[in-house]
Amino acid sequence: NTLERKLYQEWVAWLVDTYTVKPDGFIYLRTTPQVCFERMKQRNRSEESNVPLDYLEKLHEKHERWLIKKEDITDYLKNIPVLELDCDTEFERNPTQQAILFKQVNSFIATLCSESPTLQEKNISSL
């Protein structure tokens, strides 16, 4: 709800201000709500059994507005790059799809490292 979202935003802003922490990038595992719902049914976990499809649809729309459209986002996060991975395709038991996703993530991290002195200092580019 609106109050919870506002509290979350204030908490994140406090963390960033207090600890000077700013993410270098986001990795968005973009999956349609229907695929998420089907995967939850297949996993058959008790804690997921009562999650309705309409909740997943609302959650998906929030992530789309935040990560893709950059709406309703705090100023310090607007220019953070986002790697959008298409995760509708089954990848858990698909080595070819895993390789595609790993390559995209590695390329994204390499780009972030080449542009970020903080990451260069941490030598993260050696992934």
Side-chain angles (χ1 to χ4, degrees), residues 80-120:
I80 303 295
V82 177
L83 170 61
E84 180 183 335
L85 297 176
D86 177 5
C87 291
D88 274 349
T89 303
E90 195 285 317
F91 59 88
E92 187 176 358
R93 290 173 294 280
N94 183 339
T96 302
Q97 187 63 20
Q98 288 174 12
I100 291 168
L101 296 173
F102 286 141
K103 184 176 180 180
Q104 290 174 322
V105 170
N106 285 334
S107 176
F108 182 67
I109 291 172
T111 300
L112 292 177
C113 288
S114 70
E115 297 172 356
S116 169
T118 304
L119 292 177
Q120 289 170 1

Side-chain angles (χ1 to χ4, degrees), residues 5-21 74-77:
R5 179 156 178 78
K6 181 71 174 159
L7 289 171
Y8 174 77
Q9 288 174 325
E10 288 179 10
W11 181 73
V12 170
W14 176 81
L15 281 173
V16 170
D17 291 342
T18 303
Y19 296 101
T20 322
V21 174
T74 53
D75 287 338
Y76 59 86
L77 294 177

